[in-house]
Amino acid sequence: MGGGCLPCPAGGFYQDKVGTVPNEAGDISCQICNPGTYVPLGSGNSSKSCQVCPEGTNKTRYAGFRACFCLDNYYRKDRFGKCLICPQDGVNCSGDIVQLLQGFYWHWTSSNIELYEQFKSNLQIFNDSYDREASSFNASLPMIHKCPVKENCINNASEVEGNCRKGHHGWMCTVCEDGYIKLVGFCKECSSPLMAFLDIVIYLAPLIIYLLGNYFSCYQLTSLFLVHFNIIAAAVVVTEDISDAIFVLISVLNTIFALLVAGHTIIKCLVNQMTCCHLYRAEVTSNELSRESLTFSSLSTEVVDISE
């Protein structure tokens, strides 16, 4: 390397021959330690220099340029140190690093998160080009908190700090960004004039139709409810974020309310029609009885006249 011979680096390497040079530029001409063993400080000169990798590591794999890779559910804070078990719920430990899970939040100081970002990136280098100055992270991990609304702490990006759902930021993703308003735990984007109008129509239409029920026929009321459902469908289509759970939930609940109102109104119409039918039949029956009574009276009068 660089025109001369250098000792083998720290990790799973040693060299028991003298004056060996690499075959290609950038390569290392070293022997490889058995799986599960490594040389902590490098400069291994025999297979006896290889030591068993520390606790928490996978001893079935070659060490590479570290003290073996961590087992699942373990992470490390030192490239050549032991691996630690995951601290608590809310994080995923794999690939030697710790990553925040959805629904959880932690708060880093600016200095610590910068150091851990460097350490994390350095662990993703699997050859001799890694940064020796960023081989360990000596600070503590921050405390993990469970978010009050799991969906707001999505943590689906690669940032160590985690990330919030669109429109949210701050402590446990509970603060709304500019242009958003808090609604039942979620930050909903402020409506455009069109969406505001559709919201008003969706929320108030069933009540208005119900109050006007006495002024419309059953057919007209049914038509109004169908128009209302079409407006709901149009509102969902023009919504920019179709995954807006609150908007969809309110629309569904509003639709259920509209169906209940529609059912009540239609039943009322049917009852009124049945009542009208009964009244009509009663009137017809009464008229028929009256005619029969008059006919009977006439016959009685004729019988009396004949008898005289």
Side-chain angles (χ1 to χ4, degrees):
M1 296 180 185
C5 296
L6 296 174
C8 290
F13 309 99
Y14 71 95
Q15 184 55 269
D16 55 4
K17 297 179 181 179
V18 179
T20 301
V21 296
N23 296 324
E24 298 180 6
D27 193 10
I28 59 171
S29 182
C30 296
Q31 305 294 324
I32 298 177
C33 294
N34 291 328
T37 62
Y38 79 120
V39 181
L41 301 178
S43 302
N45 54 21
S46 73
S47 59
K48 295 181 180 179
S49 301
C50 301
Q51 303 177 15
V52 176
C53 288
E55 61 181 290
T57 58
N58 186 350
K59 297 177 178 60
T60 65
R61 297 180 60 183
Y62 290 104
F65 294 89
R66 65 192 68 204
C68 294
F69 292 87
C70 292
L71 293 167
D72 290 339
N73 205 37
Y74 281 77
Y75 76 104
R76 70 178 355 126
K77 296 173 65 177
D78 188 333
R79 191 181 191 101
F80 297 100
K82 65 181 180 179
C83 293
L84 309 169
I85 193 167
C86 259
Q88 55 182 298
D89 292 338
V91 291
N92 172 51
C93 297
S94 61
D96 289 13
I97 62 174
V98 57
Q99 192 79 19
L100 194 63
L101 292 175
Q102 180 182 6
F104 294 87
Y105 176 88
W106 55 11
H107 178 69
W108 291 77
T109 63
S110 57
S111 58
N112 283 352
I113 194 169
E114 183 178 354
L115 290 174
Y116 192 77
E117 286 279 9
Q118 294 174 357
F119 175 67
K120 173 188 171 184
S121 299
N122 204 34
L123 283 177
Q124 308 308 309
I125 299 175
F126 303 103
N127 54 40
D128 197 34
S129 65
Y130 68 90
D131 184 2
R132 269 66 172 171
E133 299 297 324
S135 294
S136 62
F137 174 73
N138 299 318
S140 300
L141 295 177
M143 184 176 294
I144 301 170
H145 305 275
K146 190 173 183 179
C147 293
V149 181
K150 177 181 178 181
E151 292 78 7
N152 290 345
C153 302
I154 55 177
N155 303 324
N156 61 354
S158 59
E159 292 90 349
V160 171
E161 191 174 10
N163 61 303
C164 300
R165 184 183 181 187
K166 181 181 178 182
H168 302 71
H169 70 106
W171 177 256
M172 291 195 284
C173 302
T174 56
V175 182
C176 293
E177 295 179 349
D178 293 340
Y180 288 79
I181 186 172
K182 182 66 69 68
L183 179 63
V184 198
F186 293 88
C187 295
K188 184 179 184 298
E189 190 171 6
C190 295
S191 299
S192 63
L194 173 61
M195 288 304 302
F197 172 74
L198 290 175
D199 286 345
I200 293 173
V201 172
I202 288 173
Y203 302 151
L204 298 182
L207 180 61
I208 294 173
I209 295 174
Y210 179 73
L211 294 176
L212 295 177
N214 294 329
Y215 301 96
F216 293 95
S217 67
C218 294
Y219 174 78
Q220 290 171 325
L221 285 174
T222 304
S223 299
L224 286 174
F225 279 115
L226 290 175
V227 170
H228 172 246
F229 296 147
N230 288 332
I231 291 175
I232 290 178
V236 172
V237 169
V238 300
T239 301
E240 293 181 1
D241 185 6
I242 194 64
S243 64
D244 191 336
I246 291 298
F247 177 80
V248 175
L249 176 62
I250 292 177
S251 297
V252 171
L253 293 177
N254 188 262
T255 302
I256 293 174
F257 174 67
L259 286 172
L260 293 175
V261 172
H264 178 267
T265 305
I266 292 172
I267 290 173
K268 185 172 70 173
C269 286
L270 293 175
V271 170
N272 289 339
Q273 288 180 354
M274 292 175 64
T275 302
C276 290
C277 290
H278 284 303
L279 291 175
Y280 175 75
R281 289 176 180 175
E283 184 178 355
V284 170
T285 303
S286 177
N287 291 337
E288 290 178 351
L289 290 174
S290 297
R291 285 196 297 271
E292 290 177 359
S293 177
L294 290 173
T295 303
F296 180 76
S297 297
S298 299
L299 291 174
S300 299
T301 303
E302 291 177 359
V303 170
V304 170
D305 290 341
I306 294 172
S307 64
E308 290 178 352

